[in-house]
Amino acid sequence: MTSEEEKDIVLSVKHLKKKIKRKWIIKDVTFDVYAGEIFGFLGPNGAGKTTTIRMLVDLIKPTEGVVSVCGYVVHQKPEHALRYVGSIVENPEMYTYLTGFENLEHFARMLPDVSEDRIYEVAQIVGLDQRIHDKVSTYSLGMRQRLGIAQALLGRPKLLILDEPTNGLDPKGIKELRAFIKKLAEEGLAVLVSSHLLSEIQLLCDRVAIINKGEVLTVGKVDELIGEHSHVTVWHLTPSDEGARWLMNHPRIKRIKDTSMLDDALIASLGPNAVITEMPEELVSEMVKTMVRAGVKVEGVQRVNPTLEQLFLRMTEGESIE
């Protein structure tokens, strides 16, 4: 695996700002997206995700800051920059009375040098080659989403921008789309995914930017961002009160009584003797020995990594997401 410095920067966003009337909608957004990576863009309702994406594809102009694609500044040379971009902003619009092939043929006329062979090639890439001559009205939602991505791939972009790509898809469709996006990244495409499905971002993305109130709070690899925050250790102890006292006597162990930040499945599995703590992993074996010597029965110890959703809620102070 090459370091980020050795990868090509496909999309560079530097200190992007947008002012509408007297209000700063986007205050400061900075991140890079590299070739061959899937980059997640997350934010609570009204955080500025869609406004940012619209500036990335030159639908609106930034008040300040720079967006570059493959070295070209979007608002200075849009015709050069955007030839490297394929995007689906909101839902892909297709002519349902036409076939998939006819839709792609229509969009191909707007692009330079897109042959009939290329249309068949992108249909195969998205797995629609067997249905490409069927009318779009017969397509499932997942197939229409893939046809939209095929359209975005017609011009051989270096960057694919997907705004809420799993909206309305069933679990099977989401799984298929996830595998497909990963395959595109493996072939060198840079993919920017905006999504409110945090569990999907955790499964899909290499890195993530979290935006709130028009500012990027953090950018980093998903596993590293999660690793930087406290891990939860669940103790199953008898008697639990005495065990909890031994745990709380240690200055580096904190008891968690508010379970609202924990995963619902974990909360449902908690028994009456569970004690929830935040503590360094290296202290677990020491505390097991301490409590066994004190006569406390340790029935189980469970280390729980925080999910991206828990990290998100902590960083945005519990705000809802789109």
Side-chain angles (χ1 to χ4, degrees), residues 191-208:
V191 184
L192 173 68
V193 179
S194 164
S195 178
H196 70 283
L197 295 175
L198 298 173
S199 58
E200 275 305 309
I201 289 292
Q202 191 164 351
L203 289 170
L204 180 64
C205 295
D206 303 299
R207 292 191 304 131
V208 64

Side-chain angles (χ1 to χ4, degrees), residues 22-89:
R22 296 184 178 181
K23 185 177 181 182
W24 287 98
I25 305 299
I26 304 298
K27 300 172 187 175
D28 189 4
V29 171
T30 296
F31 61 84
D32 294 325
V33 181
Y34 299 92
E37 82 165 340
I38 305 171
F39 188 90
F41 196 47
L42 296 172
N45 193 20
K49 286 187 303 175
T50 300
T51 302
T52 300
I53 289 175
R54 288 180 177 276
M55 286 190 281
L56 300 187
V57 296
D58 202 40
L59 291 175
I60 57 176
K61 302 292 184 185
T63 306
E64 295 180 24
V66 176
V67 177
S68 300
V69 178
C70 296
Y72 293 100
V73 176
V74 169
H75 66 276
Q76 291 178 354
K77 294 187 175 181
E79 69 282 0
H80 290 85
L82 296 180
R83 71 182 179 187
Y84 295 108
V85 179
S87 64
I88 300 178
V89 180

Side-chain angles (χ1 to χ4, degrees), residues 57-123:
V57 296
D58 202 40
L59 291 175
I60 57 176
K61 302 292 184 185
T63 306
E64 295 180 24
V66 176
V67 177
S68 300
V69 178
C70 296
Y72 293 100
V73 176
V74 169
H75 66 276
Q76 291 178 354
K77 294 187 175 181
E79 69 282 0
H80 290 85
L82 296 180
R83 71 182 179 187
Y84 295 108
V85 179
S87 64
I88 300 178
V89 180
E90 298 167 354
N91 294 323
E93 296 295 333
M94 296 292 165
Y95 298 104
T96 57
Y97 59 89
L98 298 178
T99 67
F101 183 87
E102 288 168 338
N103 269 276
L104 295 180
E105 193 176 36
H106 170 72
F107 289 110
R109 294 190 190 105
M110 305 176 195
L111 299 170
D113 304 321
V114 177
S115 65
E116 184 176 293
D117 287 345
R118 178 60 180 170
I119 295 175
Y120 282 114
E121 185 181 356
V122 296

Side-chain angles (χ1 to χ4, degrees), residues 109-156:
R109 294 190 190 105
M110 305 176 195
L111 299 170
D113 304 321
V114 177
S115 65
E116 184 176 293
D117 287 345
R118 178 60 180 170
I119 295 175
Y120 282 114
E121 185 181 356
V122 296
Q124 186 170 25
I125 288 170
V126 301
L128 286 178
D129 45 314
Q130 300 299 313
R131 297 287 307 275
I132 198 62
H133 291 293
D134 294 347
K135 286 191 175 181
V136 172
S137 59
T138 68
Y139 285 11
S140 67
L141 184 59
M143 291 171 66
R144 293 186 193 198
Q145 192 72 288
R146 280 186 280 155
L147 184 63
I149 294 174
Q151 173 201 326
L153 294 175
L154 280 171
R156 293 183 172 85

Side-chain angles (χ1 to χ4, degrees), residues 272-300:
N273 295 335
V275 179
I276 307 167
T277 63
E278 283 185 358
M279 60 185 293
E281 187 172 6
E282 65 267 18
L283 291 181
V284 172
S285 59
E286 174 189 328
M287 293 310 301
V288 168
K289 293 175 184 176
T290 298
M291 284 188 283
V292 169
R293 284 196 297 264
V296 177
K297 186 177 180 182
V298 181
E299 297 172 345

Side-chain angles (χ1 to χ4, degrees), residues 232 234 236 262-271 276 302 304 310:
V232 170
V234 180
H236 300 275
L262 300 181
D263 183 77
D264 289 343
L266 174 62
I267 294 171
S269 69
L270 296 177
I276 307 167
Q302 182 181 1
V304 181
Q310 291 154 19

